[in-house]
Amino acid sequence: MVRQAAPLLLASLPTPSPLRAPFPLPQIDFLLLVSRQGKIRLAKWYATTSPKEKARITREVAALVLARAPKMCNFLEWKERKLVYKRYASLYFVTSIGHDDNELLALEVIHHYVEVLDKYFGDVCELDIIFNFHKAYYILDELLIGGELQETNKRELLRVTAAQDELGKEGDEGVVVRR
């Protein structure tokens, strides 16, 4: 005698929306680029925070990340949040996510941003970020909106950034400098 398995109630399972990812993406509070000396090279905040609080958080987070050994885990419990960071050359890319968010997805967002920067600048380094911070911010703004990943296609990010560069060049040609 063979037993049959109970039928699944497919109607009770949630159906994924075609416009949403099948898994929740992390909500990012901030993204910091910190040099090995502790200098902030780029800071983007997605949560409303006072300037005084931003300065305190920046100091605290930079000190926590810089004090960790290179072989330690890239995830760190911090207050009611998680810090996810990754070191690339002389820069630490640090982000804060919710306690229930997936750390690996946040690490992928950081890696995706670094890959786009690398393709745009051609082997990106800290000096590229320092002297072209407006372009680094522009790429980040195209990648993340409101702390959530918006564009996953690297070619599309690079195409939009190149179009923005062309608009900047056209605007520069129309400027007359008088002395």
Side-chain angles (χ1 to χ4, degrees), residues 54-152:
K54 285 179 185 178
R56 187 190 62 74
I57 289 171
T58 301
R59 278 192 312 272
E60 189 176 326
V61 167
L64 278 171
V65 170
L66 291 172
R68 293 176 62 87
K71 298 274 183 184
M72 292 181 84
C73 180
N74 290 352
F75 313 131
L76 188 65
E77 296 287 331
W78 178 68
K79 300 186 179 183
E80 285 102 36
R81 312 293 297 164
K82 289 183 205 172
L83 295 177
V84 179
Y85 71 93
K86 180 78 174 148
R87 180 179 168 196
Y88 291 94
S90 63
L91 284 175
Y92 287 90
F93 290 72
V94 185
T95 188
S96 168
I97 60 172
H99 192 64
D100 296 332
D101 288 335
N102 189 335
E103 303 94 349
L104 294 176
L105 287 174
L107 204 57
E108 273 301 310
V109 169
I110 291 171
H111 186 69
H112 184 61
Y113 180 51
V114 171
E115 284 181 331
V116 173
L117 287 174
D118 200 45
K119 284 198 188 244
Y120 180 75
F121 289 111
D123 209 15
V124 69
C125 67
E126 187 176 350
L127 289 175
D128 290 326
I129 303 294
I130 292 169
F131 293 117
N132 298 300
F133 66 91
H134 55 284
K135 291 179 184 177
Y137 273 116
Y138 183 79
I139 293 170
L140 184 59
D141 288 342
E142 289 294 322
L143 179 70
L144 296 172
I145 297 176
E148 294 183 359
L149 183 66
Q150 294 301 312
E151 184 59 63
T152 57

Side-chain angles (χ1 to χ4, degrees), residues 24-73:
L25 293 172
Q27 172 66 40
I28 294 173
D29 291 328
F30 59 80
L31 180 86
L32 302 174
L33 271 62
V34 183
S35 70
R36 286 190 302 183
Q37 294 79 27
K39 297 203 186 272
I40 303 301
R41 299 302 183 195
L42 185 130
K44 183 73 174 179
W45 296 82
Y46 298 104
T48 306
T49 312
S50 69
K52 193 174 187 179
E53 186 72 8
K54 285 179 185 178
R56 187 190 62 74
I57 289 171
T58 301
R59 278 192 312 272
E60 189 176 326
V61 167
L64 278 171
V65 170
L66 291 172
R68 293 176 62 87
K71 298 274 183 184
M72 292 181 84
C73 180

